[in-house]
């Protein structure tokens, strides 16, 4: 089992109010699954993704990633897990504006301590796999939205993570570009990677092989579609 | 094992992140040219001031030392009391017997380590005007001395000669002019053999001194020397102060000379055992040391004052780094999401701050040395580049970046990655 989550909760305290953004989730995700998480706004999708991505630790419950308990790690250990096990794809791309496509892709490798030569080779390799070899030296503002998201996907892939987490990866793209990105995800999935993606759109969720619907921080429905 | 958990040497990691952070710092400086340059220039001005100050002070110090203690050979100097010593009753000291030519003669006969001796009469600030035909000097000091004075203080003669022992013994009215009065009285004429007037007495000019090109300027050149015998005859005054200068033979240590002179002086002054000295021996080395420590203190104070400029630069870097951190909140979030540890982020901003102030430091070092060299040319003193101060200047300015960058960097490092990622 790649991901195993037991009764995980995330509670935010705002003033005297307690918000259960994630209100007790049990979930298992296997290697090479392709999961879409859906649900209305405020249902806790992003909060849950942040927990899965080790950007945050749960208020209660347990989380095993790759057989390792990660719910109580220190900041540095979490950073290490994020670097090696997780590839993030964001709605707003989150590329560094001053860095070229290749430099953006190299970032996780830098924090992984990979030498400059190997970084260059691996960045070139993943950029090729997303079809952007000729854009390697371009900065984000010289790229289209779809190209930027492909750079971001390349960056998420470059450290060969255990899981790719995408929070509304097509949210800022037009539908045609969104479909291009989804077919890229299909290819990545076909190559054996595990993908968990948050989306609002049914036709995007259709690409996934499993759809989990959240409501008020709980799983309402969990359907396999393959 | 998953592909993501390949073994990575943690030592390796440090190097990679460090290089990235440094590259990043240069990149930021490049993209924010205006703001970076303003800061760099600010720090540079601070460093320039400090370094120029230090360089000028150390050069000036050496020059002043060599000007005041201008002798090729170390020498002893006997006066009635310690010229710098306080605490004693001045009137009591002034009642002490004057040093006399008899003391000099006694030393000359008995002192094995003494090379040359000179008796000098210091007019204690009394000034005179020298006249020749229509020309006149400003108020200058006329001192009395023996023929050995020229040798003792390595006075270099431009025209003519110093007066001789014979002339001293006969109290001849001969005079050696300093560079200043020589120029004043004989702007375009050969001064040798001319008779000048001091008061109502006439003196034959036998020599003039070369310019000393001293930082002390005209002070060290505006005097004239006549034989002390002539001085006593013509210009003597009861408050004149007599001093003895002695050079020590090269085969003797300065300390040996001091010891011998001390013993002989007690004999010459007929001091019984237990009686306190009624004279005081200074050495040129001791004098140099004392001057050196005074100059060091002055220099230190100046450096402290001018470092305040650097503190202002520090506040500047703090301000810029706070802006930089806020502007790049999202970048911090992204880096954290991609695996940067809090220390990596901290290091990134510290390196950026230190690079800014370090660059300012290097520019300042360059400008400071340039300034110092300019000043050195202007007032002619030996321009020495104090390497240690260059290193200190660089380390210090880089540290200012580190110290004042600490708070902004820490602020960046403590960000919550989720909030940072969604910062607008
Ligand atoms: N840092 C926070 N502090 C307080 N409350 C928070 C915080 N983050 C999220 N919440 C609350 O937790 C709940 C779940 O938020 P979350 O962002 O996970 O929703 P979501 O399903 O991603 O919504 P959307 O589809 O709009 O992105 C919301 O009610 C939100 O207001
Ligand atoms: Mg969300």
């Amino acid at each position: 089992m790649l991901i195993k989550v037991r009764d995980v909760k995330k509670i935010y305290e705002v003033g005297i109010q307690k918000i259960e953004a994630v209100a007790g989730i049990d979930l298992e995700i296997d290697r090479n699954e392709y999961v879409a998480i859906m649900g209305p706004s405020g249902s806790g999708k992003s909060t849950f993704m942040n927990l899965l991505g080790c950007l945050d630790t749960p208020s209660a419950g347990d989380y095993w990633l790759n057989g390792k308990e990660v719910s109580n790690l220190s900041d540095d250990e979490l950073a290490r897990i994020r670097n090696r096990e997780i590839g993030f794809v964001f709605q707003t791309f989150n590329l560094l504006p001053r860095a070229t496509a290749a430099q953006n892709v190299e970032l996780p490798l830098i924090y992984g301590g990979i030498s400059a030569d190997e970084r260059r080779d691996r960045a070139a390799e993943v950029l090729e796999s997303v079809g952007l070899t000729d854009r390697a030296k371009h900065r984000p503002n010289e790229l289209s939205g779809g190209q930027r998201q492909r750079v971001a996907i390349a960056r998420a892939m470059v450290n060969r993570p255990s899981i790719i987490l995408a929070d509304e990866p097509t949210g800022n793209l037009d539908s045609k570009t969104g479909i291009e990105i989804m077919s890229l995800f299909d290819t990545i999935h076909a190559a054996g990677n595990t993908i968990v993606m948050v989306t609002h759109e049914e036709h995007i969720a259709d690409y996934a092989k499993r759809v989990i619907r959240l409501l008020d921080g709980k799983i309402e429905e969990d359907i396999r579609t393959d | 094992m998953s592909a993501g958990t390949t073994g990575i040497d943690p030592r390796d990691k440090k190097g990679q992140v460090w290089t990235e952070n440094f590259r990043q710092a240069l990149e930021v400086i490049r993209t924010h040219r205006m703001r970076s340059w303003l800061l760099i220039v600010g720090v540079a001005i601070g460093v320039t001031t400090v370094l120029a100050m230090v360089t000028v002070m150390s050069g000036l110090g050496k020059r002043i030392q060599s000007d005041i203690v201008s002798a090729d050979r170390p020498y002893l100097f006997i006066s009635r009391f310690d010229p710098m010593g306080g605490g004693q009753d001045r009137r009591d000291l002034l009642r002490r017997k004057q040093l006399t030519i008899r003391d000099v003669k006694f030393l000359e006969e008995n002192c094995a380590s003494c090379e040359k001796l000179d008796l000098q009469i210091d007019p204690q600030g009394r000034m005179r005007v020298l006249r020749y035909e229509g020309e006149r000097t400003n108020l200058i000091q006329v001192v009395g001395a023996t023929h050995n004075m020229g040798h003792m203080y390595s006075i270099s003669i431009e025209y003519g000669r110093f007066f001789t022992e014979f002339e001293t013994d006969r109290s001849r009215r001969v005079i050696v002019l300093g560079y200043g009065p020589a120029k004043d009285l004989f702007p375009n004429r050969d001064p040798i053999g001319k008779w000048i007037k001091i008061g109502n007495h006439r003196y034959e000019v036998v020599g003039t001194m070369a310019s000393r090109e001293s930082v002390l300027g005209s002070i060290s050149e505006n005097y004239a020397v006549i034989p002390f015998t002539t001085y006593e005859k013509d210009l003597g005054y009861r408050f004149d102060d007599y001093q003895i200068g002695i050079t020590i033979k090269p085969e003797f240590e300065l300390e040996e000379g001091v010891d011998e002179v001390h013993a002989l002086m007690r004999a010459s002054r007929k001091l019984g055992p237990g009686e306190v000295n009624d004279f005081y021996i200074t050495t040129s080395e001791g004098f140099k040391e004392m001057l050196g420590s005074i100059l060091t203190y002055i220099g230190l104070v100046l450096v402290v004052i001018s470092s305040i400029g650097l503190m202002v630069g520090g506040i500047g870097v703090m301000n810029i780094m706070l802006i930089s951190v806020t502007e790049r909140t999202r970048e911090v979030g992204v880096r954290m999401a991609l695996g940067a540890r809090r220390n990596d982020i901290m290091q990134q901003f510290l390196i950026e701050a230190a690079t800014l102030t370090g660059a300012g430091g290097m520019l300042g070092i360059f400008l400071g040395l340039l300034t110092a060299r300019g000043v050195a040319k202007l007032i002619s003193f030996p321009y020495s580049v104090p390497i240690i101060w260059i290193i200190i200047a660089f380390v210090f300015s880089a540290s200012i970046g580190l110290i004042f960058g600490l708070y902004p960097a820490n602020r960046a490092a403590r960000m919550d990655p989720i909030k940072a990622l969604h910062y607008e």
Side-chain angles (χ1 to χ4, degrees), chain A residues 12 14 19 21 39-48 167-168 200, chain B residues 419:
Chain A
Y12 290 114
V14 182
I19 299 166
S41 187
S43 57
K45 304 181 295 292
S46 295
T47 307
F48 186 55
D167 195 344
E168 309 220 27
H200 272 113
Chain B
K419 284 195 185 124

Side-chain angles (χ1 to χ4, degrees), chain A residues 91-210:
Chain A
Q91 178 177 353
T92 51
F93 322 132
N94 275 332
L95 300 176
L96 300 192
R98 287 186 311 271
T100 63
Q103 286 169 335
N104 265 291
V105 172
E106 283 188 34
L107 270 179
L109 300 176
I110 288 170
Y111 293 113
I114 311 291
S115 72
D117 287 345
E118 196 183 339
R119 285 203 309 259
R120 198 167 352 97
D121 294 348
R122 276 165 72 172
E125 199 179 298
V126 281
L127 275 173
E128 193 187 349
S129 72
V130 300
L132 283 178
T133 302
D134 55 339
R135 294 285 185 271
K137 295 252 155 53
H138 291 230
R139 288 173 206 280
N141 61 3
E142 299 157 352
L143 298 171
S144 72
Q147 287 170 332
R148 288 184 208 183
Q149 195 60 303
R150 279 193 277 161
V151 173
I153 291 169
R155 183 176 68 183
M157 303 276 301
V158 75
N159 237 353
R160 299 173 197 138
S162 308
I163 182 167
I164 291 169
L165 298 177
D167 195 344
E168 309 220 27
T170 60
N172 275 25
L173 301 172
D174 61 61
S175 54
K176 184 174 158 287
T177 318
I179 287 164
E180 278 171 31
I181 292 297
M182 290 324 291
S183 58
L184 179 56
F185 273 122
D186 271 350
T187 319
I188 291 167
H189 176 237
N193 291 287
T194 314
I195 301 173
V196 178
M197 156 183 85
V198 167
T199 182
H200 272 113
E201 298 167 272
E202 295 291 346
H203 77 277
I204 296 292
D206 286 346
Y207 284 86
K209 309 295 180 219
R210 180 182 175 189

